[in-house]
Amino acid sequence: MGRSKTDTANISHFHEFFQNHNHTKLELVHRDQIPSSTKFHNHSHRFLARMQMDVKRVAAVTHRISPSKSYEVENLGTGLVSGISMGFSDYLVRVGIGSPPTYQYLAIDTGSDIIWVQCQPCNRCYKQADPVFNPATSASYTVVPCGSSACDALLVNDQHCHAGKCSYEVNYADGSFTKGTLMLETLTFGQTEILNMAMGCGHNNRGSFNVIAGLLGLGSGRMSFVNQIPETGGAFSYCLASYDSISPGWLKFGRGLGGAFPVGAAWAPLVHNPRAPNFYYVGLSGLGVGGVRVPISEDIFRLTESGYGGVIIDTGSVVTRLPTVAYEALRDAFTAKTSGVRAPSVSIFDTCYHQYNDNFQFPSISFYFSSGPILTLASYGFLIPVDVEETVCFAFAPSASGLSIIGNVQQSGIQISIDEACGYIGFGPNGC
C-alpha cells in the first residue's frame, strides 16, 4: 500500500510565507544534555526512569493502533483535541515562539501531529528550562476563533469551544496533560520565520516533562509541522546523535536542502495504515545477525488489511520492540555469535554484558527492507549502556502485540529522510 500526501487544503491559508528554508539546519539535542535537566542522581537512575517512560510510550502507541479502536475522529484531522496517550521524545529542538521570538526547547515526535507550548497566564504550569511563553508580549499572536475554518478543521463538536475561543486538550499515558487555546503564531528556526503556525497555547499543564516547553509534531497527520508548510512537500530529514557522540544531531525540511536526501541511502517503502494515519510505517521483511538473515517469517512484519501488525519508525520510543517470536529469534542468533561475560537482566532487557575489556566481539545487526535494501547498524544502534560500570544491554525488547516499533536507539547516528509524497523513507550512509 502506497502513501499519498496528506491533504492540506484546509490549513494552507495559515501561511503567508516560508522564507530561507534552503539554509535551515536545526540542531537536535538529547534532553539529558540540557544543563537544567538535573532531576536524576546518576546515570543508572536516569536510565531506569527513561525505560519506565518508554514502557508507557510503547503501551500507548500499541493501544492507539489497536484494530479494535475507532479512528474516525482522527481521520477528520482532530489530533489537537483527541486524547492522545503518548509520551515524549528524547530529542529536542530550539524554537523561537512569537514576535519578538521567545526561545524554547520543543520535543520532536514523528508519532504525533501536535504542536503546543506552555503559555502565560498559567493556571497550572510545570517547570521548564526557559521562561514560559507570554502571548501578551508577542505582536504576531492571534487566537483561533470558534466558527473559523481553522477551528472547524480541528474540532469535532462545540464542546471544545469556550468564550468564543477554539480550545484543545491532550492527555498523555502517564497522567500528564496540556489544555488551552489554539493560536496562530510565528515560529523562528535559525534565520527562517514561519508565519501563522496553528498550535496549542497551553494554560493548564501537568507532567514531569523536564526541560521541554512543548511538542513539535512531525507525524503525517494534517496538523503536523511538515504538513502545515506546503513548501516542504511533506519531506524532512533528521539525524539523532548517538549517546557517545560529541556532536549534536540535526533536523532539515524539504527535499533539496544541501544534501538532506543523501546519495547512497537505502530507500524503503512507506506503508499507509488508515487506522493510524499519523504514523510512518515502513516495509520490513526481516532481520540479520552478523550478515546472516535470521529465519523469521516475513508475515510477522506485515501490516494486515485490518490495520494489525506492521512496523513503525518512532523517534519517541527508545528501543526497538518486536513481536515476541521475532525478538527471541533475533536475540538467540545474537547471543550465539557473541563473546563476552553476561550480566544480570536490567529493566526491560534480558540480554546484558559486562564490558571489562575490548576483546568482546559483537556481531552486527541488520534490517532487511521489503524493497531489497539492507541497513546494518553500528554497535551504538543495538547496544545501550545502562550504568557507569560499562554494562551494556541488547537494545531490543519483546512485544506481546503484533506491532513492531523501530526506536531512537536504532535510529541514532543514521541520516533518516522521510518523503511522504513519494512514499519512501531513506536511511543514509553517513552519520550526523
Side-chain angles (χ1 to χ4, degrees):
M1 291 179 284
R3 176 182 291 273
S4 62
K5 187 176 184 301
T6 302
D7 179 17
T8 58
N10 289 332
I11 58 175
S12 61
H13 66 282
F14 288 172
H15 303 280
E16 297 178 16
F17 68 88
F18 178 46
Q19 63 181 16
N20 298 327
H21 62 279
N22 285 331
H23 305 289
T24 302
K25 183 176 181 179
L26 310 177
E27 184 176 283
L28 288 179
V29 297
H30 195 281
R31 69 169 67 229
D32 291 343
Q33 296 175 315
I34 306 303
S36 58
S37 181
T38 57
K39 63 177 288 188
F40 301 111
H41 302 300
N42 52 48
H43 177 83
S44 295
H45 185 201
R46 180 185 297 111
F47 171 79
L48 292 175
R50 187 184 181 196
M51 290 302 101
Q52 289 174 355
M53 290 181 63
D54 195 43
V55 168
K56 293 178 179 179
R57 166 81 180 198
V58 170
V61 170
T62 302
H63 173 73
R64 184 178 171 191
I65 301 178
S66 171
S68 62
K69 183 176 175 60
S70 173
Y71 283 88
E72 286 80 1
V73 170
E74 292 182 358
N75 286 338
L76 293 174
T78 60
L80 282 177
V81 297
S82 59
I84 299 179
S85 302
M86 306 282 282
F88 284 92
S89 171
D90 286 326
Y91 290 89
L92 315 179
V93 65
R94 192 76 166 157
V95 178
I97 312 292
S99 303
T102 299
Y103 283 89
Q104 312 279 349
Y105 284 109
L106 301 185
I108 66 164
D109 190 352
T110 58
S112 175
D113 60 357
I114 299 170
I115 310 169
W116 65 266
V117 64
Q118 290 200 116
C119 282
Q120 297 282 5
C122 282
N123 298 326
R124 175 191 294 174
C125 283
Y126 58 85
K127 185 178 180 180
Q128 62 179 58
D130 300 292
V132 174
F133 172 64
N134 187 354
T137 65
S138 173
S140 53
Y141 169 76
T142 302
V143 172
V144 175
C146 294
S148 67
S149 57
C151 192
D152 290 343
L154 292 169
L155 301 182
V156 181
N157 53 54
D158 60 5
Q159 69 174 332
H160 296 290
C161 214
H162 300 285
K165 299 178 181 179
C166 200
S167 63
Y168 80 99
E169 177 178 349
V170 181
N171 299 291
Y172 294 92
D174 63 352
S176 304
F177 59 78
T178 175
K179 304 176 184 179
T181 57
L182 288 173
M183 65 179 176
L184 302 182
E185 252 302 3
T186 296
L187 268 62
T188 301
F189 297 84
Q191 299 301 311
T192 300
E193 284 189 337
I194 307 170
L195 303 185
N196 298 323
M197 175 65 64
M199 58 187 298
C201 184
H203 300 293
N204 188 359
N205 317 282
R206 183 180 72 185
S208 54
F209 299 134
N210 191 26
V211 176
I212 69 169
L215 185 72
L216 185 74
L218 299 177
S220 62
R222 296 172 64 193
M223 298 309 299
S224 76
F225 180 81
V226 288
N227 283 328
Q228 284 200 58
I229 306 174
E231 288 84 349
T232 68
F236 64 100
S237 293
Y238 61 90
C239 192
L240 309 179
S242 61
Y243 62 84
D244 58 354
S245 174
I246 60 174
S247 301
W250 51 259
L251 172 67
K252 294 181 180 180
F253 299 100
R255 292 184 181 81
L257 309 186
F261 278 21
V263 175
W267 289 94
L270 287 170
V271 181
H272 181 57
N273 184 1
R275 289 188 175 275
N278 295 340
F279 288 97
Y280 297 108
Y281 281 78
V282 60
L284 185 70
S285 62
L287 302 165
V289 174
V292 178
R293 189 158 178 157
V294 178
I296 303 173
S297 171
E298 186 172 345
D299 290 340
I300 291 177
F301 304 111
R302 184 171 286 119
L303 178 67
T304 68
E305 292 295 328
S306 64
Y308 182 79
V311 181
I312 65 170
I313 185 162
D314 182 30
T315 58
S317 298
V318 180
V319 299
T320 291
R321 288 340 198 262
L322 300 170
T324 301
V325 63
Y327 168 75
E328 291 179 348
L330 179 68
R331 177 203 60 196
D332 293 347
F334 179 80
T335 57
K337 295 184 178 182
T338 301
S339 64
V341 180
R342 291 289 292 270
S345 299
V346 178
S347 185
I348 62 174
F349 304 109
D350 62 11
T351 303
C352 301
Y353 298 88
H354 293 300
Q355 284 191 289
Y356 293 127
N357 55 57
D358 296 327
N359 296 325
F360 291 169
Q361 294 181 0
F362 293 108
S364 62
I365 300 293
S366 300
F367 290 106
Y368 292 77
F369 296 109
S370 56
S371 58
I374 302 171
L375 173 66
T376 298
L377 303 176
S379 61
Y380 51 71
F382 59 86
L383 295 173
I384 187 168
V386 301
D387 57 32
V388 295
E389 298 172 351
E390 298 188 343
T391 300
V392 295
C393 293
F394 187 51
F396 291 78
S399 172
S401 77
L403 178 69
S404 297
I405 303 173
I406 299 178
N408 60 46
V409 170
Q410 282 68 33
Q411 297 177 54
S412 63
I414 301 170
Q415 188 170 341
I416 296 176
S417 304
I418 295 178
D419 190 337
E420 184 182 3
C422 294
Y424 284 92
I425 180 170
F427 300 89
N430 302 318
C432 300

